[in-house]
Every structure is written in structure tokens, then in C-alpha cells.
Amino acid sequence: MARDLTQLELLDELQPVAEENLNRHLSMAKEWHPHDYVPWDEGRNFAALGGEDWSPEQSRLDEVAKAAMITNLLTEDNLPSYHREIAENFSQDGAWGTWVGRWTAEENRHGIVMRDYLVVTRGVDPVALEQARIEHMTNGFSSAAAGGHDEMGFLHSVSYVTFQELATRVSHRNTGKVCNDPIADRMLQRIAADENLHMIFYRNLCGAALDISPDQALRAIADIVQNFQMPGAGMPNFRRNGVLMAKHGIYDLRQHLEDVVMPVLRKWNIFDRTDFTAAGEQTREELAAFLEKLEKDVLKFEEQRDRMLSREAAKRQAQAS
């Protein structure tokens, strides 16, 4: 039976892959600046500087767009938690250390530009937003809550961020569409392009780990898929906002399964590989059974959503007549 590799052995084996993918990323990443995506001429002072404080009628965003923007921004705000986790599970040496620093710097832009946009356009209540940021960052986030365990820290971490970066990209793109503002849409497309490049780095690392230690990497992937939580879990109003986002197709179960989980598993060739031992085969069967159940959950969720939306439409019609 093949022995599991230690964290150190995995990092050592994957060092050339990390270096190659770091160079690939640096060659493809486009320079951009948060200040170029904010309509500064819409800005004005708040009461502390003699202006007017925020009130709800100042926002052009509807309830769904507000919920999605707040959720996506607070997710980006929690960068110190993600940085800590990646830094602890990767190495600070060579390509690993360069990647951790570069990824953190690129991710940091996302929170900067989204907050500037929301404050300048008065899209959401800035006081409530700041209170939620403090609460969410104080609580932090760990992918251990999403199926990770310390003894598989690197593999859980790299599996989790592969799915999470792709999920965040989907959420940002769809949020841009519901904002009804070409500036917000352009900004969130730009952020989503970053998330996609980050996802590719992690997906390639995880794919290489599967080649080096198939059973061990698959166990980590199965843990993450079966326990996946968006990094916003635990933020204020996460449940309410998550329900709104799912109800209006910003990020729902079908998107999670068809746009996030399955494309990545296909890329890794999970269901056609022939390099697993009996233990790996068992993990693969467990994963397949989970995905089958998820497909049923998707259909159940969509039926409930359709019923709820038609009830709401009927109610609106009755009120209008």
C-alpha cells in the first residue's frame, strides 16, 4: 500500500510545478488599478465633514444586488484569514513564498475597489458595512470547517481554494449583471478575471498532487467537495443574503455543481483515472454517490424556488390589480 506523503515531501515534489505556474501566472496577469474602476465624480462628503450621511433612497441597487455586493465584499475583506491559511500550508521559500505574497496583493485589490465603489456611489449603508466587516474579520474563516484536517493541510487547502476561487468568479460575474450599472459590471468582470487565473494556479497544483500521490489527493478533494462552504459562511446575514443570491441565480446549487465542481473534477480526470489503489477507488465511489445526491438536491431546490417565485409573482399581481 502506498504511503501518504508528508506536507514537506509534497511541497518539495511540487516545487518545480509551483515555479512553472507562478511564471505562467506572471506572464498572463494584467496590471490594473482599483482607482480606474470607481466613478469618483459621484462622491460627496458624509456628515462628519459637513455633508450628508447615507440614507436608503440614495442607493440605486435593488435588494438582490445589495445582498450580493455585501456578501462578495465581506468575503474579500476576510483576506487575512485566507492568507494565514495559505501561508501556513505552503512554504515561505522560493516560488511558494513569491506566490503567497503575489496572490495576497492581487486579492487585496478586490476589497479596495468594491468598497470604494459602494461608498462613492452610496450603494449600501457604509456604517452597517463597516460593522459587518469588523465582525466577519474578527470571526475569521478556516477551510478546516469545510472538511480540512491539519494532517492534510496542504492538500485540503489547495483543493479548497481551487473550488472556492472558481465559485467566487461565478458569484462576481453574476453580481455584476444584477447591479444594472455598466461600471459595476466592468469592475466585477475585472475581479472575476483575477479569480480565474488564481483558480488555474491552484487547479494545476492540485492536479500535479494527484499525479504524485493519487489516493491522498483524492481523499482531500472528496473531503472538500462533500463539506464545501463558501468563505462567507459565518458573516452577518450570510444565510439571508445567500438565500437571496440563490433565489435569483447569482450563486445557486446548480451553478455550484455544473459550473464549479464538475468542470474541475473533469479537468483532473477523476472518474477515468486508473492510478488509484483500492482505498482510492472507495473514495471515488463515495464522491460519485455524493454527486448523485447533490444532483437530486439541485432538482429539489429548483422546484421549491420555482414555486416560491410564482407565489411572489401572483402576490404582486394581486396587489397591482
Side-chain angles (χ1 to χ4, degrees):
M1 186 175 142
R3 162 183 88 79
D4 281 356
L5 299 180
T6 64
Q7 296 257 94
L8 213 54
E9 287 169 333
L10 277 166
L11 289 169
D12 203 36
E13 290 261 0
L14 289 168
Q15 168 75 23
V17 185
E19 198 163 327
E20 181 191 326
N21 278 279
L22 170 67
N23 291 334
R24 178 189 181 283
H25 178 82
L26 295 174
S27 74
M28 294 185 75
K30 288 188 170 61
E31 186 178 1
W32 65 275
H33 306 104
H35 65 261
D36 287 330
Y37 289 79
V38 178
W40 298 103
D41 58 350
E42 288 186 29
R44 54 202 164 96
N45 289 349
F46 290 91
L49 291 179
E52 181 193 3
D53 274 341
W54 185 85
S55 57
E57 68 279 0
Q58 293 168 0
S59 176
R60 295 192 301 267
L61 301 176
D62 67 17
E63 283 313 298
V64 178
K66 276 184 198 159
M69 283 294 267
I70 290 167
T71 302
N72 288 0
L73 172 53
L74 292 180
T75 299
E76 299 290 353
D77 278 333
N78 222 358
L79 179 61
S81 279
Y82 321 137
H83 169 85
R84 195 162 51 240
E85 185 145 321
I86 292 287
E88 282 169 2
N89 288 311
F90 287 27
S91 158
Q92 294 302 296
D93 300 330
W96 294 113
T98 305
W99 169 259
V100 171
R102 174 70 187 218
W103 171 81
T104 305
E106 289 184 6
E107 284 286 337
N108 198 34
R109 290 187 295 214
H110 304 167
I112 292 169
V113 70
M114 288 176 76
R115 173 165 287 95
D116 284 350
Y117 170 84
L118 286 173
V119 171
V120 164
T121 62
R122 298 189 175 230
V124 302
D125 179 350
V127 174
L129 185 65
E130 178 62 5
Q131 288 164 343
R133 184 186 72 85
I134 296 279
E135 185 181 332
H136 187 43
M137 286 183 72
T138 303
N139 293 338
F141 179 80
S142 163
S143 71
H149 308 295
D150 286 343
E151 71 275 10
M152 297 222 336
F154 170 77
L155 288 173
H156 277 125
S157 200
V158 82
S159 305
Y160 178 74
V161 285
T162 302
F163 293 110
Q164 179 261 316
E165 293 276 5
L166 187 48
T168 308
R169 175 191 135 194
V170 170
S171 184
H172 281 315
R173 282 296 290 111
N174 290 332
T175 298
K177 291 171 192 166
V178 297
C179 283
N180 262 338
D181 175 8
I183 294 173
D185 192 31
R186 185 168 155 259
M187 168 185 73
L188 288 160
Q189 278 186 50
R190 182 55 264 176
I191 292 173
D194 274 4
E195 306 288 17
N196 198 50
L197 281 182
H198 297 161
M199 180 275 293
I200 291 168
F201 178 92
Y202 294 125
R203 189 184 67 192
N204 289 351
L205 261 291
C206 202
L210 267 165
D211 293 338
I212 290 166
S213 189
D215 285 10
Q216 191 182 4
L218 181 64
R219 178 71 263 161
I221 291 162
D223 282 351
I224 293 302
V225 170
Q226 291 175 83
N227 296 281
F228 187 82
Q229 285 184 322
M230 285 295 266
M235 72 173 59
N237 299 319
F238 180 69
R239 184 160 167 69
R240 174 197 169 268
N241 291 348
V243 167
L244 262 181
M245 289 166 75
K247 194 166 121 184
H248 295 277
I250 291 166
Y251 196 83
D252 61 26
L253 260 189
R254 182 168 297 282
Q255 286 160 326
H256 180 64
L257 179 63
E258 293 184 359
D259 299 342
V260 176
V261 174
M262 292 314 295
V264 171
L265 295 180
R266 276 196 293 273
K267 187 76 180 173
W268 289 331
N269 200 27
I270 293 296
F271 293 106
D272 293 315
R273 298 178 76 99
T274 55
D275 52 358
F276 296 126
T277 68
E281 292 294 351
Q282 201 177 335
T283 306
R284 178 156 61 181
E285 282 168 26
E286 180 193 308
L287 182 59
F290 174 81
L291 293 170
E292 213 173 291
K293 180 187 173 297
L294 194 56
E295 179 63 57
K296 288 178 186 147
D297 290 345
V298 167
L299 295 170
K300 206 188 309 177
F301 163 76
E302 288 180 335
E303 283 166 17
Q304 286 171 342
R305 177 171 67 184
D306 292 347
R307 280 200 300 272
M308 186 165 42
L309 290 172
S310 63
R311 269 201 310 272
E312 285 175 10
K315 200 169 158 188
R316 275 197 304 273
Q317 211 171 357
Q319 283 167 346
S321 58

